[in-house]
Amino acid sequence: MDLTDNKPAPAHRRGTSRRRVLVLATAGAAAVGTAWVGRSALASDPADPPRTFRSQQDIDLRVRSVRKTLDSAAPKDVAAWITGTGSAPGTVETEMDTQVNGLADAAATGLDTSRDTVLVSWVRTAATQRTIWDRKYEFLRTGSGGAGTFGVITDEIRAKYPTQLGSDPQWDPDKVSHRSVWEAMTSEERQIEILRTSTAPGVSRHHLGSDADFFDTTPQDWADNGPESANYAWLRANAAHYGFLQTYTAQSAKASPAISEERWHWSYAPVAEAVLAFVQANQTLIGDALDEQWAYDPARYTYIKAHWRDYMFHVNEKAHFGSTTRR
């Protein structure tokens, strides 16, 4: 998620080898990582070509293999990786790197575009995600730690403050009328507004390394006839063959709680789905890890504390196997 935080993948992930160095991106924030120790059932070689998949059944088989790896590791280490303060098992990380880069390489070739324009956002640690969350929650102005407009204004809040918000599509901390509304909102209302397009630290799928944003993260550009429509058509036709699914679909926007559709956000399903199974089986462990992250100011996490499961679990879990247009 985090559609307004469109930062390119660091240069060490976009080198001539098109294989990223196996480290977490910090985006200016200190990464909190631990070395991974333990056995793994996976045996990917960094030099291996990306895996290809012909059906959802192929993906499901790989999910089961990754689940065995996670189940054989120390649960606290897995929880630290999932919540953004640790590292993935080495071979899982290698597989994710290979698949993300493989899809990006194929997209660059298939769409005849520069490779550097394909992968725009990838791994974010909990520390980075906290920076994003805090500046939005605190409604920081540009020049004072803010980054301009963000998110979308929900219909519920717009209906409460029609004069102040008008038809503005996004929140603007530099706009006086928006600031007056934000200051009048409760902590839970603020959290809900942020969560429509951005996740809290510890909950983001970008912590994993299995999820990446492609091409651009401006919602209107991905409309059916928008400038990204051809890229979306290519991803729909080809991403599943590399094991990817669109995480947040049109159905996500209709769910409760709602999450806006993101046509640019794709998950490597064998890892992302294995992680969901681990979280389902270890909810207390994950909840404790989240509480620890949010302890610095629990008041700004009251809503997500009660609903983090909804935001983790209410996602698309099936890949779209359409006709391929690979070259």
Side-chain angles (χ1 to χ4, degrees):
M1 298 175 72
D2 305 307
L3 57 89
T4 58
D5 294 284
N6 183 7
K7 298 180 178 64
H12 70 266
R13 291 188 186 144
R14 296 182 284 127
T16 55
S17 69
R18 292 179 181 173
R19 303 288 182 214
R20 73 176 176 97
V21 177
L22 301 184
V23 296
L24 293 178
T26 62
V32 182
T34 56
W36 190 272
V37 179
R39 296 175 57 193
S40 174
L42 300 178
S44 295
D45 185 303
D48 285 346
R51 296 175 181 273
T52 56
F53 300 83
R54 294 176 297 177
S55 66
Q56 183 65 45
Q57 183 179 18
D58 285 350
I59 291 176
D60 292 341
L61 287 172
R62 193 63 191 156
V63 170
R64 288 197 282 272
S65 294
V66 178
R67 284 185 64 179
K68 290 179 181 178
T69 298
L70 302 188
D71 289 343
S72 69
K76 286 190 176 180
D77 287 344
V78 178
W81 162 51
I82 291 171
T83 57
T85 62
S87 301
T91 49
V92 172
E93 188 165 359
T94 298
E95 181 169 345
M96 292 187 294
D97 284 4
T98 301
Q99 296 304 127
V100 171
N101 279 298
L103 177 58
D105 290 345
T109 300
L111 291 161
D112 194 21
T113 190
S114 169
R115 173 61 165 77
D116 285 352
T117 68
V118 177
L119 191 59
V120 299
S121 184
W122 192 353
V123 184
R124 286 194 293 273
T125 65
T128 299
Q129 198 72 25
R130 172 176 162 176
T131 299
I132 295 169
W133 179 270
D134 284 348
R135 70 168 169 75
K136 292 179 179 180
Y137 185 88
E138 295 167 14
F139 219 59
L140 297 180
R141 295 182 178 90
T142 304
S144 298
T149 58
F150 69 86
V152 297
I153 299 172
T154 65
D155 293 340
E156 293 78 8
I157 290 296
R158 192 186 305 280
K160 290 180 65 174
Y161 303 96
T163 302
Q164 296 95 322
L165 299 175
S167 60
D168 295 342
Q170 293 183 291
W171 287 104
D172 187 351
D174 295 326
K175 201 165 186 177
V176 174
S177 60
H178 285 211
R179 293 191 65 81
S180 67
V181 172
W182 197 263
E183 291 168 0
M185 288 163 53
T186 66
S187 174
E188 291 204 352
E189 287 175 329
R190 293 182 186 184
Q191 292 169 59
I192 291 170
E193 292 299 298
I194 297 171
L195 286 163
R196 186 63 183 263
T197 57
S198 185
T199 45
V203 182
S204 176
R205 291 167 70 100
H206 280 290
H207 296 333
L208 302 175
S210 61
D211 288 45
D213 297 333
F214 293 90
F215 297 109
D216 179 69
T217 59
T218 305
Q220 54 267 34
D221 289 350
W222 292 84
D224 289 342
N225 295 315
E228 297 293 341
S229 59
N231 291 338
Y232 182 55
W234 189 94
L235 287 167
R236 283 275 293 174
N238 293 278
H241 296 283
Y242 294 88
F244 286 79
L245 54 81
Q246 181 185 340
T247 312
Y248 304 105
T249 66
Q251 294 303 312
S252 303
K254 300 175 183 178
S256 181
I259 302 172
S260 295
E261 180 180 15
E262 296 185 356
R263 293 184 171 188
W264 56 86
H265 184 147
W266 294 75
S267 295
Y268 179 55
V271 173
E273 298 306 297
V275 164
L276 289 183
F278 179 89
V279 175
Q280 286 274 16
N282 296 274
Q283 294 185 40
T284 299
L285 182 64
I286 298 297
D288 290 344
L290 294 174
D291 285 345
E292 185 175 347
Q293 287 195 39
W294 302 338
Y296 73 98
D297 188 0
R300 65 183 64 191
Y301 295 102
T302 51
Y303 178 81
I304 187 62
K305 177 179 171 64
H307 296 278
W308 66 264
R309 294 168 182 82
D310 296 332
Y311 288 92
M312 276 198 179
F313 298 146
H314 292 179
V315 295
N316 174 41
E317 298 184 51
K318 297 295 180 183
H320 172 76
F321 282 89
S323 59
T324 180
T325 58
R326 286 179 290 174
R327 294 181 182 180

